[in-house]
């Protein structure tokens, strides 16, 4: 995705695409960037929402086992639809 963004930026600077199209590409690139979370941050977010692991898993469309693994630090979340 980063290479596509850089290509888009280059062709915009050359005048091949207009600013509106470049801004669309820029927005798509920004949306594709996923922040990294620690297990502690996942647990803190879940606690702030005041939900169980199973409800949290349902909210973000993943399994309870994944949430449990994130919170215990055995795995890191790789993508969140938030």
């Amino acid at each position: 995705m980063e290479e596509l963004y850089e290509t888009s930026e280059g062709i915009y600077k050359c005048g091949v695409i207009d600013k509106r199209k470049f801004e669309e590409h820029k927005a798509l690139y920004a949306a594709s960037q996923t922040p990294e979370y620690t297990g502690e941050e996942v647990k803190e977010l879940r606690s702030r929402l005041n939900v169980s692991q199973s409800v949290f898993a349902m909210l973000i469309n993943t399994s309870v086992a994944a949430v449990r693994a994130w919170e215990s630090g055995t795995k890191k979340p790789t993508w969140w639809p938030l």
Side-chain angles (χ1 to χ4, degrees), residues 55-67:
V55 171
F56 187 72
M58 183 183 69
L59 289 172
I60 64 170
N61 195 29
T62 194
S63 68
V64 177
V67 173

Side-chain angles (χ1 to χ4, degrees), residues 15-59:
V16 177
I17 61 173
D18 62 14
K19 184 173 182 171
R20 183 174 161 257
K21 183 55 87 175
F22 174 64
E23 291 299 327
E24 288 176 16
H25 293 178
K26 192 173 170 181
L28 288 171
Y29 173 72
S32 74
Q33 301 305 296
T34 306
E36 290 189 23
Y37 293 91
T38 65
E40 291 171 3
E41 291 171 321
V42 172
K43 189 171 185 173
E44 181 182 316
L45 174 59
R46 185 176 62 77
S47 294
R48 279 189 307 192
L49 294 172
N50 197 30
V51 295
S52 66
Q53 287 181 335
S54 59
V55 171
F56 187 72
M58 183 183 69
L59 289 172

